[in-house]
Amino acid sequence: MNLTDSALLNSYSVYALYSAMAVYALAFIAFAVDLARRSSAVDAIEATDLLEADAASPARAGGTLTLKRPVLSRISARMDNDAALPYGRSSSLRIGVSLTVLAWVLHLAATVMRGFAADRVPWANMYEFAMTGTLLIMTVFLLVLLRSDLRFLGTFVTGLVLVLLGIAALQFYVEVAPLPPALQSAWLVIHVFVASLGTGLFALGFALSTVQLLQARRENHVADGAEAPRGAIASALRLRFLATLPSSATLENLSYRINIIGFILWTFTLMAGSIWAEQAWGRYWGWDTKEVWTFIIWVIYAGYIHARATRGWRGSRSAWLAIIGFSAVMFNFGIVNVFFNGLHSYSGLAL
Amino acid sequence: MQPKLSLIGWLRWFWRQLTSMRTALFLLLMLAIAAIPGSLVPQRSSDPNGVTQYFADNPDLAPTLDKLQAFDVYTSAWFSAIYLLLFISLIGCVIPRTKHHFLALRAKPPATPARLARLSGFTERDAPARTDATAAITTASALLKSSGYRVARFNAAGESSVSAERGYLRETGNLTFHIALLGVLVTVGFGGGYGFSGQRVLVEGQTFVNTLLAYDSFNPGRFFDDTTLDPYTLSLDDFSVSYEQRNLQAYGQPIDFTADVSVTPKNAKPNPAEVKVNGPLRTNGTSIYLLGNGYAPTIQVTAPDGTVVFSDSVPFLPQDANLTSLGIVKVPDGLTEQLGMIGFFYPTQDKAESGANFSSYPDLEYPLLTLNVYTGDLGLDDGVPTSVYALVTDDLTQQTGGKTGVASIELKPGESAELPDGLGTVSFVDNDPAASAAGDFKQSVPRFASFDIHHDPTQIWLISFSVLVLFGLFTGLMVPRRRVWVKATTASDGTVHLEYAALARGDDPALETAVTALADRHEKLLNNAQPTATPRKDLGLQRESD
Ligand code: HEM
């Protein structure tokens, strides 16, 4: 491709990316509105429930508010529909998903055009890696939606992708440049792609574990008979919508299933990376900062898997490990790449 | 009163603690935390210059950190202690589990629980009329067997059942994973000891013989025997670099390095081959990596009487992306004084406003060599080894450049200049004078390549264990292990009631769907079996009675 075509294509890619970000922002708003509506629906139901409960019997089964209202669930059959108050018919939720799909198409177009403009895979510097990585996070999210109704994570996923893309576009942007010889390898394609895919899964697992923790807190409150969550944050944000989400046990299982696939991919990433390191630098492992962090992340998730099989560590404690694990992934990507010295200085940024 | 533990008792207690899941988890988390400091502080193994710099920048803190082995985290006592304990724990955990698993592989699935209703995926069906309970269980048993279950039949009064189990591969995978992990550690721990790594710089046209003395530096492993070096030769025939020229955003960025070499095994013909940045050359049991490159200007020093006292292509070390390069020439003999020169080479020379030279492009567009000349004692005769890349100027007198007031010698390819004090002349030899005369300097200065040459016979083990780790991980996490039961009870009126249930062992998202699917397939089989199981006469009778 000649240079003017390449520059033109890259500028289209940039436009597409900004458009995708705008549409993700709209999707984010729609998902947030959905959460707000869930909260007020829960308020309404609980209000009528209280009236009925007062009229009938003072005993309300702790935590298991059975649904009497026609707010029927469409949560897929594959997932245990064990929300305290199943809720699934919000138009804002459907708008959120549609907008997300539209934004994803624009995002995909932006990434593909960047790849063609550069005449190689679009993940050779931080800007491109962020673009492709977030695309994969979103792809994993949309694919998982086909199997399980995790639409309630829309706010989180669109929010995360938006923040990452914003940073990438404003802080990491670099013009199209040819690959330096150190990156000219089939392992760039495999190693980095699988790492991004693993990151996408860990992101979802992180979100589920976070909701799991909030949900577990709500369940404890309900079990204790407390009227409303008393935590400052919870009452400030009125996280009443949690009642419409799956139970913490279901969230924990979902998070685990997603995280173990992420872990297998991460293990592969680690091995592929050391094969590549052997080819490029003549040693397969040298405790370079990037290698150190990849290893730390791997060990944290191994700990997470063990925690699930250790008495006293199931539930909230293992959820914290998944959260720490993903924080390390973000740290590895955002901080280690840019600020730490090492052989993996592929940010493409001159600091 | 607490019973006193004997020594054996204590040991046993300690061993049980060490091999518990809780300890394994604790040690794993410790390992993650202990690995962090090594990314915050430069490490001797990967960044020795960084360590020196750190000592210079933090003179108070650095020695304390050094005592804590913070610059050698991954070989430190505390890091090693954590991973060794972890692996002892792992061994202690894996041995009993392997034994247990071997027994389980031979054992029959356990008896059918009395009440299935409490188990996952509990499903009830009524068998088609005239089904025999035992026959129905035989069908179920065959069905389960064909889906990879191991089965055992149980019969009690009025009920027949099959107990089935599948997914032994899950535990096999898990054990494979953990054992292969041990294999990786042992290989990494000892593997390096059986090989060597060496470095060698070659200028275009030079040849190297794979023998101990020919290496610039050589690091044998503990168990490596030098006499096993295979004396093949490696010649650098040509080193080519291409630079980005069209894309102004990346102008001058190297896009390809290729070392064209010839490898000549002992008593054989030379084979042409290539070494690239991501493409090591595997030959004669060694791997040859291209790790660096630069220019090696050919410099000649001639005494006043015309004898050539120095003539060599000297590798100059690149200092920046545009290959401003620094090199050292030492001429100990043949002149009236010992001579040392610090040279700067600019492949495309440009002048800053301050008057300082710099290189504005990495290729040979307008090459210039500048030399600062020193005379005096080079310090070569003290018997102390000195680096060829450094000039110790303590006992030398600077004659040109710097504060001497005498301009540095500046040479273009093919040019010569008088040395100070009438010592003789120095020339910058042009490798391709004809082209240079026409303004093309591309071939005027030879390039050098620095190669790392490694030998590690254990890499094949490492890759095999890694494959096992991945395989074990995948099967250990993804293969569902479950028990399934089918029970047929015959009621007093002769109808047969079927119950299905399952129990997950480990995470098993598809358990309930699997039970329903089993019940559906079983029902279908029983229905299909009807016509043959039922005499034709009956059918006829039925039709008549309809
Ligand atoms: C070197 C340290 C270790 C690492 C990196 C590690 C990693 C893992 C991983 C990734 C898994 C899930 C994979 C699978 O099930 O195949 C796992 C499972 C398991 N590990 Fe380890 N492990 C280590 C040490 C240990 C030790 C010391 C023990 C024994 C105390 C142990 C006992 C187990 C058990 C019982 C499981 C099965 C858990 C389950 O079924 O969910 N591991 N380990």
Side-chain angles (χ1 to χ4, degrees), chain B residues 63-302:
Chain B
T64 316
L65 287 181
D66 201 17
K67 282 212 188 75
L68 298 172
Q69 300 176 298
F71 302 106
D72 308 280
V73 166
Y74 306 105
T75 48
S76 69
W78 42 278
F79 190 80
S80 312
I82 294 174
Y83 77 75
L84 288 176
L85 277 177
L86 185 57
F87 275 86
I88 294 172
S89 166
L90 182 54
I91 293 169
C93 182
V94 156
I95 293 174
R97 274 175 68 194
T98 311
K99 224 162 69 188
H100 184 263
H101 186 50
F102 261 107
L103 294 178
L105 279 177
R106 285 202 222 103
K108 281 206 308 189
T112 312
R115 271 190 285 170
L116 292 181
R118 288 193 187 156
L119 298 166
S120 316
F122 178 66
T123 307
E124 295 177 282
R125 298 279 160 96
D126 281 317
R130 278 179 296 278
T131 307
D132 172 58
T134 322
I137 292 302
T138 309
T139 314
S141 176
L143 185 58
L144 284 164
K145 230 177 176 163
S146 71
S147 325
Y149 284 83
R150 175 170 313 165
V151 295
R153 300 276 302 261
F154 297 93
N155 287 307
E159 69 175 45
S160 178
S161 69
V162 55
S163 167
E165 179 154 4
R166 61 152 289 168
Y168 296 85
L169 193 57
R170 187 186 184 90
E171 182 68 1
T172 310
N174 190 308
L175 289 170
T176 309
F177 169 83
H178 286 92
I179 294 169
L181 218 50
L182 278 172
V184 168
L185 183 85
V186 171
T187 315
V188 171
F190 294 100
Y194 290 95
F196 69 81
S197 72
Q199 286 75 39
R200 172 66 201 239
V201 167
L202 284 181
V203 179
E204 284 172 310
Q206 285 184 349
T207 295
F208 146 87
V209 187
N210 185 29
T211 51
L212 209 49
L213 287 179
Y215 280 97
D216 297 331
S217 67
F218 189 81
N219 317 297
R222 252 166 303 167
F223 317 117
F224 182 72
D225 172 9
D226 311 334
T227 58
T228 60
L229 277 180
D230 177 2
Y232 67 89
T233 67
L234 176 78
S235 313
L236 178 63
D237 301 328
D238 183 44
F239 188 82
S240 51
V241 188
S242 48
Y243 297 100
E244 178 63 37
Q245 287 180 307
R246 298 183 315 155
N247 183 344
L248 292 184
Q249 305 293 345
Y251 192 72
Q253 179 193 310
I255 46 182
D256 184 55
F257 297 115
T258 303
D260 288 306
V261 298
S262 310
V263 177
T264 318
K266 209 175 160 190
N267 307 325
K269 287 216 185 91
N271 300 312
E274 215 178 62
V275 190
K276 286 170 97 80
V277 173
N278 265 299
L281 172 62
R282 320 269 183 195
T283 183
N284 297 62
T286 54
S287 299
I288 304 170
Y289 307 87
L290 175 59
L291 286 197
N293 74 97
Y295 292 102
T298 310
I299 296 171
Q300 202 171 69
V301 177
T302 316

Side-chain angles (χ1 to χ4, degrees), chain A residues 256 263 298-299 301-302 305-306 308-309, chain B residues 18-22 24 28 31 86-91 93-94 97 170-171 173-175 177-178 181 472-477 506:
Chain A
Y256 179 71
F263 183 75
W298 187 77
V299 175
Y301 278 99
I305 293 174
H306 278 199
R308 287 254 321 172
Chain B
L18 185 63
T19 56
S20 77
M21 200 70 179
R22 193 179 297 271
L28 272 172
L31 186 68
L86 185 57
F87 275 86
I88 294 172
S89 166
L90 182 54
I91 293 169
C93 182
V94 156
R97 274 175 68 194
R170 187 186 184 90
E171 182 68 1
N174 190 308
L175 289 170
F177 169 83
H178 286 92
L181 218 50
L473 190 61
F474 190 82
T475 51
L477 287 173

Side-chain angles (χ1 to χ4, degrees), chain A residues 3 178 182 184 276 278 282 293, chain B residues 39 246 253 255 278 289 454:
Chain A
L3 278 176
Q184 292 168 13
W276 187 9
E278 193 277 336
W293 277 93
Chain B
S39 71
R246 298 183 315 155
Q253 179 193 310
I255 46 182
N278 265 299
Y289 307 87
H454 296 183

Side-chain angles (χ1 to χ4, degrees), chain B residues 453-514:
Chain B
I453 301 178
H454 296 183
H455 166 66
D456 182 355
T458 58
Q459 273 186 12
I460 182 75
W461 288 95
L462 199 60
I463 198 100
S464 312
F465 281 127
S466 303
V467 169
L468 284 177
V469 163
L470 261 187
F471 162 82
L473 190 61
F474 190 82
T475 51
L477 287 173
M478 290 298 160
V479 171
R481 178 150 190 203
R482 56 172 78 123
R483 291 188 178 148
V484 174
W485 294 279
V486 183
K487 190 189 279 185
T489 357
T490 315
S492 48
D493 63 355
T495 56
V496 171
H497 184 65
L498 296 168
E499 292 172 285
Y500 307 82
L503 178 70
R505 312 193 63 200
D507 179 66
D508 189 353
L511 184 69
E512 281 161 26
T513 347

